Amino acid sequence: MTRPRAASERFVAQLPTRIRSRVEVIHSPILEIKPLAVQVHADEAKGLIFTSANAVNAATSLDVSRKMPAFCVGPVTTGTAKGAGWDARMVGATAEELIANLLKHRPQSPLLHLRGEHSRGNIAERLTESGLAVREQPVYKQHLLPLTDRAGAVAEGNEPVIAPIFSPRTARQFADIWVGSAPLWLAAISEATAEPLYSLDYVRLKIAKEPTPKKMRKAVKKLVKHAMRVEGGEATD
C-alpha cells in the first residue's frame, strides 16, 4: 500500500475478508501529506472546492470557516468535508465532472479551490475562463518518499506484488523507484494514473472503471484472484 498509512488502512479494512486472508499487507507510503503553514483568505468566498480529503484535512487544521458550502469530488472527500462541519455536496466523481456541474448550476461566486501544491486539471483557471470566478490556494504539500526496507526486500523477491496506485503523482514516484524483479500486478484509479506505470515491467495493469475506492477495491480483488491463479493457487469466490 503506497498511500499515507491512515488512508491505506481504511482501504484494506474495506476489502473482503477472503481477499485480506490471502495477502500480506505491506505499508510503504511513498507520498507524505503535510499542511502548509499558510493563512487562508476565504472572507470573500461564497463557497469552497475540495478535490481531495487531504485538502479538507488541511483546511480543518487551518481553521477555515465552515459558514459556506463545499463542492467536492468523490464520496470520500465529500464525507470527510461533512464530518468536518461543512455543508458538503458531491458534484462529481472526477474533476471534469465537477467543472461541468459547477458551470451548469452556477453557484454564487467567487469560489475558493483549496488544493495541494501539485495539482492537475487547472480547475480554477478553467472555471474562471468560463465565467465562474474561482481562486485557488495550496494548503498542503506532498513530500515524496522511497520504498520502505520491507517493501524493497519484497520487490527483490519472487512472490507476486500487488500495488494499488491512487494518483498520477504517486504513479510517477512508484515508476521512478520500483527496481524489483518480483512479478508486479498494478491497479490504477484512472487512466491518468496508469500512464506513468506503462514503462514498468508488469504482469498486469488494471484500471478502475470509475475513480472511486469501491471500484479500486474491485480491481484489487480481481488482481489477487488472477495472481493466485497464475501462481497455482485457488481463485474461486
Side-chain angles (χ1 to χ4, degrees):
M1 295 301 300
T2 59
R3 305 178 88 186
R5 185 64 180 250
S8 288
E9 288 180 345
R10 286 196 301 270
F11 182 83
V12 172
Q14 293 174 348
L15 288 171
T17 302
R18 189 172 179 84
I19 295 298
R20 294 202 308 271
S21 70
R22 296 182 174 193
V23 298
E24 175 192 357
V25 179
I26 297 172
H27 293 279
S28 180
I30 59 177
L31 197 66
E32 182 181 32
I33 305 298
K34 291 187 175 181
L36 291 170
V38 296
Q39 182 177 357
V40 177
H41 302 286
D43 294 343
E44 297 181 1
K46 303 298 184 183
L48 301 174
I49 295 175
F50 290 125
T51 47
S52 75
N54 293 324
V56 177
N57 293 332
T60 300
S61 70
L62 294 168
D63 199 26
V64 176
S65 172
R66 312 309 203 265
K67 297 180 180 179
M68 64 186 85
F71 303 99
C72 304
V73 169
V76 173
T77 302
T78 306
T80 304
K82 286 182 178 179
W86 275 282
D87 174 17
R89 313 165 191 179
M90 178 175 161
V91 290
T94 65
E96 294 299 321
E97 291 180 4
L98 175 136
I99 290 172
N101 190 297
L102 291 179
L103 290 178
K104 178 180 179 179
H105 296 286
R106 301 277 173 172
Q108 281 190 301
S109 61
L111 303 177
L112 176 60
H113 180 203
L114 299 179
R115 60 171 180 81
E117 283 185 322
H118 301 276
S119 180
R120 292 172 56 90
N122 300 320
I123 290 173
E125 179 182 351
R126 292 168 62 188
L127 287 171
T128 298
E129 288 177 349
S130 297
L132 185 64
V134 179
R135 292 191 301 109
E136 62 181 352
Q137 181 176 354
V139 290
Y140 66 91
K141 59 182 177 181
Q142 303 121 308
H143 179 61
L144 298 175
L145 300 172
L147 292 174
T148 63
D149 290 344
R150 175 61 180 146
V154 170
E156 294 293 346
N158 298 316
E159 295 295 321
V161 173
I162 297 171
I165 308 294
F166 290 84
S167 73
R169 184 164 170 79
T170 303
R172 288 192 295 273
Q173 175 67 352
F174 187 84
D176 287 342
I177 64 177
W178 178 266
V179 292
S181 57
L184 184 60
W185 300 69
L186 296 166
I189 198 167
S190 65
E191 180 60 49
T193 299
E195 286 178 9
L197 303 174
Y198 289 133
S199 63
L200 294 171
D201 182 16
Y202 53 83
V203 178
R204 186 167 186 152
L205 169 57
K206 185 166 185 60
I207 301 173
K209 292 185 178 180
E210 296 175 3
T212 64
K214 180 179 179 180
K215 295 300 183 181
M216 275 294 279
R217 289 193 295 273
K218 188 172 183 179
V220 169
K221 178 181 176 180
K222 288 184 177 181
L223 285 182
V224 170
K225 295 170 75 172
H226 282 302
M228 290 184 65
R229 185 177 295 120
V230 169
E231 293 298 309
E234 295 181 7
T236 58
D237 288 325

